[in-house]
Amino acid sequence: MTQPIHQVKYEIDLLEAFLQNDYMRDVYIHLNPTAEQQGDEDWWNDVYIQTAVNSDEYDFPARWAEQRDADQYEALVLMELINQIFQWNEDENGIEVKWWSGALTISKIYKMYAYMYVVRCGVEHWIHIKDINDWNGDESDDDDVCVCEKETYNGSKDFPPNETDEQCPICLEDYDKEGGKLKDGIQNSDFESNCPHWCCCMCWDEMYKQDKDTYCCPICKRDITDWLKTHYDSDDE
């Protein structure tokens, strides 16, 4: 069951990265808040967050459906999303939920999870994230091009979130040379990229098996296509 667990974690990481780096940014750009609204916590909570994930105006499930690749693990991913939604509801409201009484569609599951994720991050997170990611409204006409914020790895174990020197940020398992979970990244090669991130080689390999034309780092979304195709060609295994 090790491989499916890693794949489910990987798919959820992609979902959250899309929420963080693409979807919420696009909503922010479209709403185009005034300077007064940017400093108003009520606007962020009542307009920005609620409009983005608790209304049908932007339809997050439809946006995500265009990005994801449904595969054999999708049922497991949906089960894990439901488990996390139920657990969050229990933590927030003190009510244990073991089943859903209404019609539970795939679209509704993704919408519920998006709402949970965005609300769980908190208003303060979204107030400051626009400065961290330098959301200036620039957009690319090429859907296959990774558009990402500039960042410089400063050696801190707190940057980026969930990345440490000892643990893979995707599967959250310790790097293990003897077990084959080697720490790897584009920095280990001669390929040019501003991507500063490391993952274990097993997670990079799982990413390559998605069989896409363009591959992006799951953390910062920078283009790592040439490196990944060169170093993780399944035909070489």
Side-chain angles (χ1 to χ4, degrees):
M1 286 296 294
T2 302
Q3 185 171 339
I5 291 174
H6 288 179
Q7 185 66 27
V8 169
K9 178 65 173 62
Y10 172 74
E11 293 292 342
I12 294 177
D13 284 340
L14 290 182
L15 170 66
E16 294 182 351
F18 177 72
L19 266 167
Q20 183 78 241
N21 299 324
D22 293 274
Y23 181 75
M24 296 301 289
R25 177 204 61 191
D26 291 346
V27 172
Y28 172 82
I29 292 171
H30 186 267
L31 290 175
N32 192 26
T34 64
E36 182 179 356
Q37 288 172 329
Q38 290 184 29
D40 183 357
E41 185 172 311
D42 289 337
W43 180 88
W44 287 91
N45 186 50
D46 299 336
V47 179
Y48 176 65
I49 290 179
Q50 297 300 326
T51 300
V53 293
N54 203 26
S55 72
D56 296 325
E57 184 173 351
Y58 292 96
D59 197 359
F60 170 77
R63 285 283 306 276
W64 175 239
E66 297 173 357
Q67 303 293 321
R68 65 184 174 87
D69 294 322
D71 58 22
Q72 59 180 321
Y73 297 108
E74 183 173 24
L76 295 177
V77 171
L78 293 173
M79 290 175 60
E80 178 58 24
L81 296 182
I82 293 173
N83 287 337
Q84 291 192 33
I85 292 167
F86 284 174
Q87 184 61 54
W88 178 73
N89 185 71
E90 181 179 345
D91 293 341
E92 288 292 308
N93 303 314
I95 302 175
E96 184 177 2
V97 182
K98 294 185 177 180
W99 66 85
W100 184 259
S101 59
L104 196 59
T105 64
I106 293 176
S107 177
K108 182 176 289 187
I109 293 171
Y110 281 118
K111 183 174 182 177
M112 290 166 60
Y113 189 82
Y115 177 79
M116 180 200 75
Y117 175 82
V118 172
V119 172
R120 188 174 56 189
C121 286
V123 175
E124 287 298 321
H125 172 81
W126 299 110
I127 287 177
H128 297 294
I129 200 68
K130 64 183 180 64
D131 299 321
I132 296 173
N133 287 341
D134 190 22
W135 288 354
N136 56 17
D138 293 339
E139 295 180 287
S140 171
D141 292 329
D142 188 351
D143 292 336
D144 291 329
V145 175
C146 299
V147 180
C148 313
E149 68 278 7
K150 295 180 180 179
E151 59 181 348
T152 303
Y153 183 51
N154 59 14
S156 168
K157 292 183 179 181
D158 296 325
F159 180 89
N162 298 326
E163 183 179 45
T164 73
D165 292 335
E166 297 85 17
Q167 191 179 73
C168 172
I170 303 301
C171 64
L172 301 180
E173 294 186 6
D174 292 341
Y175 296 115
D176 180 6
K177 292 182 179 180
E178 295 182 0
K181 294 185 71 65
L182 298 175
K183 182 178 180 179
D184 199 10
I186 197 170
Q187 294 183 80
N188 280 344
S189 70
D190 294 330
F191 286 89
E192 293 185 4
S193 173
N194 291 326
C195 171
H197 301 118
W198 305 90
C199 298
C200 74
C201 60
M202 290 183 177
C203 285
W204 287 127
D205 187 58
E206 286 297 325
M207 181 177 177
Y208 180 77
K209 290 177 181 177
Q210 297 298 308
D211 190 23
K212 299 179 179 179
D213 293 331
T214 301
Y215 297 91
C216 297
C217 169
I219 300 172
C220 71
K221 299 194 69 182
R222 285 187 173 85
D223 193 330
I224 55 171
T225 304
D226 292 340
W227 171 73
L228 200 64
K229 286 187 174 182
T230 299
H231 292 276
Y232 288 89
D233 190 335
S234 299
D235 295 335
D236 294 339
E237 296 181 354

CSV table of all heavy atoms in Angstrom, one decimal, residues 184-205:
chain,number,residue,atom,x,y,z
A,184,ASP,N,16.8,14.6,-3.8
A,184,ASP,CA,17.1,15.0,-5.1
A,184,ASP,C,16.4,16.2,-5.5
A,184,ASP,O,15.3,16.6,-5.0
A,184,ASP,CB,16.8,13.8,-6.1
A,184,ASP,CG,17.6,14.0,-7.4
A,184,ASP,OD1,18.5,14.8,-7.5
A,184,ASP,OD2,17.2,13.2,-8.4
A,185,GLY,N,17.0,16.9,-6.5
A,185,GLY,CA,16.4,18.1,-7.0
A,185,GLY,C,17.2,18.6,-8.2
A,185,GLY,O,18.3,18.2,-8.5
A,186,ILE,N,16.6,19.6,-8.9
A,186,ILE,CA,17.3,20.1,-10.1
A,186,ILE,C,18.6,20.8,-9.8
A,186,ILE,O,19.5,20.9,-10.6
A,186,ILE,CB,16.4,21.1,-10.9
A,186,ILE,CG1,16.8,21.3,-12.3
A,186,ILE,CG2,16.2,22.4,-10.2
A,186,ILE,CD1,15.9,22.0,-13.2
A,187,GLN,N,18.8,21.1,-8.5
A,187,GLN,CA,20.1,21.7,-8.1
A,187,GLN,C,21.2,20.7,-8.2
A,187,GLN,O,22.4,21.1,-8.2
A,187,GLN,CB,20.0,22.3,-6.7
A,187,GLN,CG,19.0,23.4,-6.5
A,187,GLN,CD,19.0,24.0,-5.1
A,187,GLN,OE1,19.9,24.7,-4.7
A,187,GLN,NE2,18.0,23.6,-4.4
A,188,ASN,N,20.9,19.4,-8.3
A,188,ASN,CA,21.9,18.4,-8.4
A,188,ASN,C,22.4,18.3,-9.8
A,188,ASN,O,23.2,17.4,-10.1
A,188,ASN,CB,21.4,17.1,-7.9
A,188,ASN,CG,21.4,16.9,-6.4
A,188,ASN,OD1,22.0,17.7,-5.7
A,188,ASN,ND2,20.7,16.0,-5.9
A,189,SER,N,21.9,19.1,-10.7
A,189,SER,CA,22.2,18.9,-12.2
A,189,SER,C,22.8,20.2,-12.7
A,189,SER,O,22.9,21.2,-12.0
A,189,SER,CB,21.0,18.5,-12.9
A,189,SER,OG,20.0,19.5,-13.0
A,190,ASP,N,23.0,20.2,-14.0
A,190,ASP,CA,23.5,21.4,-14.7
A,190,ASP,C,22.4,22.1,-15.4
A,190,ASP,O,22.6,23.1,-16.1
A,190,ASP,CB,24.5,20.9,-15.8
A,190,ASP,CG,25.8,20.4,-15.2
A,190,ASP,OD1,26.2,20.8,-14.1
A,190,ASP,OD2,26.4,19.5,-15.8
A,191,PHE,N,21.1,21.6,-15.2
A,191,PHE,CA,20.0,22.3,-15.8
A,191,PHE,C,19.7,23.6,-15.1
A,191,PHE,O,19.8,23.7,-13.9
A,191,PHE,CB,18.8,21.4,-15.8
A,191,PHE,CG,18.8,20.3,-16.7
A,191,PHE,CD1,19.3,19.1,-16.4
A,191,PHE,CD2,18.3,20.4,-18.0
A,191,PHE,CE1,19.4,18.0,-17.2
A,191,PHE,CE2,18.3,19.3,-18.9
A,191,PHE,CZ,18.9,18.1,-18.5
A,192,GLU,N,19.4,24.7,-15.9
A,192,GLU,CA,19.1,26.0,-15.3
A,192,GLU,C,17.7,26.0,-14.8
A,192,GLU,O,16.7,25.7,-15.6
A,192,GLU,CB,19.3,27.1,-16.4
A,192,GLU,CG,20.8,27.2,-16.8
A,192,GLU,CD,21.0,28.4,-17.7
A,192,GLU,OE1,20.0,29.1,-18.0
A,192,GLU,OE2,22.1,28.5,-18.2
A,193,SER,N,17.5,26.5,-13.6
A,193,SER,CA,16.2,26.7,-13.0
A,193,SER,C,16.3,27.4,-11.7
A,193,SER,O,17.3,27.3,-11.0
A,193,SER,CB,15.5,25.3,-12.8
A,193,SER,OG,14.3,25.5,-12.1
A,194,ASN,N,15.4,28.2,-11.4
A,194,ASN,CA,15.4,28.9,-10.1
A,194,ASN,C,14.7,28.1,-9.0
A,194,ASN,O,14.6,28.5,-7.9
A,194,ASN,CB,14.6,30.3,-10.2
A,194,ASN,CG,15.4,31.3,-11.0
A,194,ASN,OD1,16.6,31.3,-11.0
A,194,ASN,ND2,14.7,32.1,-11.7
A,195,CYS,N,14.3,26.9,-9.4
A,195,CYS,CA,13.6,26.0,-8.4
A,195,CYS,C,14.6,25.6,-7.3
A,195,CYS,O,15.6,25.0,-7.6
A,195,CYS,CB,13.0,24.7,-9.1
A,195,CYS,SG,12.4,23.5,-7.9
A,196,PRO,N,14.3,25.9,-6.0
A,196,PRO,CA,15.3,25.5,-5.0
A,196,PRO,C,14.9,24.3,-4.2
A,196,PRO,O,15.5,24.0,-3.2
A,196,PRO,CB,15.2,26.8,-4.1
A,196,PRO,CG,13.7,27.1,-4.2
A,196,PRO,CD,13.2,26.7,-5.6
A,197,HIS,N,13.9,23.5,-4.7
A,197,HIS,CA,13.3,22.5,-3.8
A,197,HIS,C,13.8,21.1,-4.0
A,197,HIS,O,14.3,20.8,-5.1
A,197,HIS,CB,11.8,22.5,-4.0
A,197,HIS,CG,11.2,23.9,-3.7
A,197,HIS,ND1,10.5,24.6,-4.7
A,197,HIS,CD2,11.1,24.6,-2.6
A,197,HIS,CE1,10.1,25.8,-4.1
A,197,HIS,NE2,10.5,25.8,-2.9
A,198,TRP,N,13.7,20.4,-2.9
A,198,TRP,CA,14.2,19.0,-2.9
A,198,TRP,C,13.0,18.1,-2.5
A,198,TRP,O,12.1,18.4,-1.8
A,198,TRP,CB,15.3,18.8,-1.8
A,198,TRP,CG,16.4,19.8,-1.9
A,198,TRP,CD1,16.6,21.0,-1.4
A,198,TRP,CD2,17.6,19.5,-2.7
A,198,TRP,NE1,17.8,21.6,-1.7
A,198,TRP,CE2,18.4,20.7,-2.5
A,198,TRP,CE3,18.1,18.5,-3.4
A,198,TRP,CZ2,19.7,20.8,-3.1
A,198,TRP,CZ3,19.3,18.6,-4.0
A,198,TRP,CH2,20.1,19.7,-3.9
A,199,CYS,N,13.0,16.9,-3.1
A,199,CYS,CA,12.1,15.8,-2.8
A,199,CYS,C,12.8,14.5,-2.9
A,199,CYS,O,14.0,14.5,-3.3
A,199,CYS,CB,10.9,15.8,-3.8
A,199,CYS,SG,9.9,17.3,-3.8
A,200,CYS,N,12.2,13.4,-2.4
A,200,CYS,CA,12.9,12.2,-2.5
A,200,CYS,C,12.7,11.7,-4.0
A,200,CYS,O,11.8,12.0,-4.7
A,200,CYS,CB,12.3,11.1,-1.5
A,200,CYS,SG,10.7,10.5,-1.9
A,201,CYS,N,13.7,10.8,-4.4
A,201,CYS,CA,13.7,10.4,-5.8
A,201,CYS,C,12.4,9.6,-6.1
A,201,CYS,O,12.0,9.6,-7.3
A,201,CYS,CB,14.9,9.6,-6.1
A,201,CYS,SG,15.1,8.1,-5.1
A,202,MET,N,11.8,8.9,-5.1
A,202,MET,CA,10.6,8.1,-5.4
A,202,MET,C,9.5,9.0,-5.8
A,202,MET,O,8.7,8.7,-6.6
A,202,MET,CB,10.3,7.3,-4.2
A,202,MET,CG,11.3,6.2,-3.9
A,202,MET,SD,10.7,5.2,-2.5
A,202,MET,CE,12.0,3.9,-2.5
A,203,CYS,N,9.4,10.2,-5.1
A,203,CYS,CA,8.3,11.1,-5.4
A,203,CYS,C,8.5,11.8,-6.8
A,203,CYS,O,7.6,12.0,-7.5
A,203,CYS,CB,8.1,12.2,-4.3
A,203,CYS,SG,7.4,11.5,-2.8
A,204,TRP,N,9.8,12.1,-7.1
A,204,TRP,CA,10.1,12.6,-8.5
A,204,TRP,C,9.7,11.6,-9.5
A,204,TRP,O,9.1,11.9,-10.6
A,204,TRP,CB,11.5,13.0,-8.6
A,204,TRP,CG,12.0,14.2,-7.9
A,204,TRP,CD1,13.1,14.2,-7.0
A,204,TRP,CD2,11.5,15.5,-8.0
A,204,TRP,NE1,13.3,15.5,-6.6
A,204,TRP,CE2,12.3,16.3,-7.1
A,204,TRP,CE3,10.5,16.1,-8.7
A,204,TRP,CZ2,12.1,17.7,-7.0
A,204,TRP,CZ3,10.2,17.5,-8.5
A,204,TRP,CH2,11.1,18.2,-7.7
A,205,ASP,N,10.0,10.3,-9.2
A,205,ASP,CA,9.6,9.3,-10.2
A,205,ASP,C,8.1,9.1,-10.4
A,205,ASP,O,7.6,9.0,-11.5
A,205,ASP,CB,10.2,7.9,-9.7
A,205,ASP,CG,10.1,6.8,-10.7
A,205,ASP,OD1,10.6,7.0,-11.9
A,205,ASP,OD2,9.4,5.8,-10.4
